[in-house]
Amino acid sequence: MNKMIAFFSIVCITILQFPAAFAQTAWKGKRAAVVITYDDAIDQHLDNALPVLDSLGLKATFYITAGSACVANRLQEWRRVASTGHELGNHALFHPCVGNTSGREWVPKEYDLSQYSIKRMQDELRMTNTFLHAIDGKKERTFAFTCGDMKIGDSLFLQGMQQDFVAARAVRHAIHPLHAIDVYNIDCYMVNNHSATSMKEWVDEAIEKQGLLVILFHGVGGGNNLDVSLLAHREFLSYLKQQEKQLWVAPLIEVAAFIKKQNEQ
Ligand SMILES: [Zn+2]
């Protein structure tokens, strides 16, 4: 009888352990996935972030506000960013944000999302896709919600745009395992003068939870109030490189396509 109990215990433990074993290799054989994103297309991305990424061989996603001065002034450099394996994502033409709430006094009235119609926003996003296609020749695109805003009034403006976007990134601190990710509402950790130590803890948490960590940088050594020091940025990226055996680091479009495929099975 004791032998029978022992046998069934071993069977049960083996079955229970199987999902954990699977999850350890769920991200292309790695324990976790990391996506590095940079928002708003500013000079510091080209001057400060890109050289570090390229020296480490890491590929990132740059969310481009097509109407920004840096895009107009340095178009060929952005084209080269795309041709070297980084992703150019859609961050709208004019970066509209909901302006009629407290703390949003800085939003120009011309680009106050609360004054947009759904059609105007969708037209702006589709025009940005066309613009980016002219830059990198790609048809598939991911989107990052400007200021994290998803709605105009009560309406989700991305609804009905699944043909236009493979995935969309929101702005919320959370790490989820593969099966729990909504690719049209992907969470991310926004960097706001964080130390390298804090950012490394996010990576450790992703490894621990066997989930997806998306990092959002704005300024890199300046260029935005939401900034990261050059030193912390470099130290953080170097840490990702050091953890390469445990991490799959890739642009969002690749990770989102992988998530969709896995979750369909
Ligand atoms: Zn932005």
Side-chain angles (χ1 to χ4, degrees):
M1 190 59 185
N2 281 346
K3 277 185 182 171
M4 285 282 282
I5 291 167
F7 172 74
F8 281 115
S9 299
I10 289 165
V11 169
C12 289
I13 288 165
T14 307
I15 290 169
L16 286 170
Q17 282 180 343
F18 177 75
F22 173 76
Q24 278 175 17
T25 57
W27 297 99
K28 293 207 166 188
K30 310 288 178 81
R31 283 178 66 88
V34 176
V35 175
I36 315 159
T37 68
Y38 298 87
D39 280 21
D40 302 351
I42 58 173
D43 288 326
Q44 287 78 1
H45 296 163
L46 295 170
D47 297 333
N48 299 339
L50 200 63
V52 185
L53 287 164
D54 288 346
S55 71
L56 295 167
L58 296 171
K59 302 301 177 194
T61 300
F62 292 88
Y63 280 107
I64 303 294
T65 297
S68 77
C70 177
V71 171
N73 295 334
R74 304 175 73 173
L75 204 54
Q76 287 306 326
E77 288 172 79
W78 285 111
R79 185 166 275 137
R80 201 157 51 242
V81 170
S83 70
T84 53
H86 301 285
E87 176 189 5
L88 301 186
N90 184 324
H91 202 41
L93 263 184
F94 302 117
H95 204 289
C97 294
V98 172
N100 61 350
T101 57
S102 70
R104 291 284 184 84
E105 293 77 14
W106 57 270
V107 176
K109 67 178 190 329
E110 293 83 358
Y111 305 126
D112 181 346
L113 191 59
S114 70
Q115 302 303 311
Y116 272 39
S117 65
I118 296 285
K119 179 167 169 35
R120 179 175 167 195
M121 184 56 172
Q122 291 185 342
D123 285 351
E124 184 171 318
L125 298 186
R126 289 192 174 111
M127 188 58 229
T128 308
N129 271 359
T130 303
F131 172 83
L132 292 172
H133 178 231
I135 303 299
D136 65 13
K138 292 181 181 160
K139 281 283 195 184
E140 294 207 316
R141 204 63 64 185
T142 67
F143 173 65
F145 291 98
T146 44
C147 301
D149 295 336
M150 298 177 170
K151 290 180 176 178
I152 300 173
D154 294 330
S155 305
L156 293 160
F157 58 78
L158 213 65
Q159 215 150 49
M161 296 194 80
Q162 274 85 350
Q163 297 300 314
D164 301 278
F165 294 110
V166 173
R169 198 214 62 206
V171 184
R172 265 187 322 261
H173 279 46
I175 290 170
H176 304 288
L178 200 150
H179 66 83
I181 296 170
D182 172 1
V183 292
Y184 288 101
N185 194 354
I186 293 176
D187 291 329
C188 81
Y189 279 53
M190 187 170 77
V191 176
N192 185 6
N193 294 293
H194 287 82
S195 65
T197 307
S198 307
M199 295 188 285
K200 286 180 196 175
E201 282 169 8
W202 301 340
V203 177
D204 296 341
E205 189 186 337
I207 292 169
E208 166 77 24
K209 290 185 174 170
Q210 299 174 10
L212 168 65
L213 169 66
V214 180
I215 294 273
L216 160 55
F217 290 110
H218 286 89
V220 179
N224 194 298
N225 288 335
L226 301 165
D227 198 21
V228 65
S229 73
L230 293 179
L231 200 64
H233 176 258
R234 180 184 289 275
E235 202 178 320
F236 170 70
L237 294 189
S238 300
Y239 187 66
L240 293 181
K241 189 70 183 174
Q242 284 163 22
Q243 299 294 320
E244 219 169 22
K245 279 198 177 131
Q246 304 200 79
L247 298 176
W248 176 36
V249 182
L252 191 66
I253 196 154
E254 288 178 33
V255 174
F258 178 76
I259 293 167
K260 276 186 170 175
K261 205 166 160 203
Q262 295 300 306
N263 287 344
E264 273 167 12
Q265 287 174 357

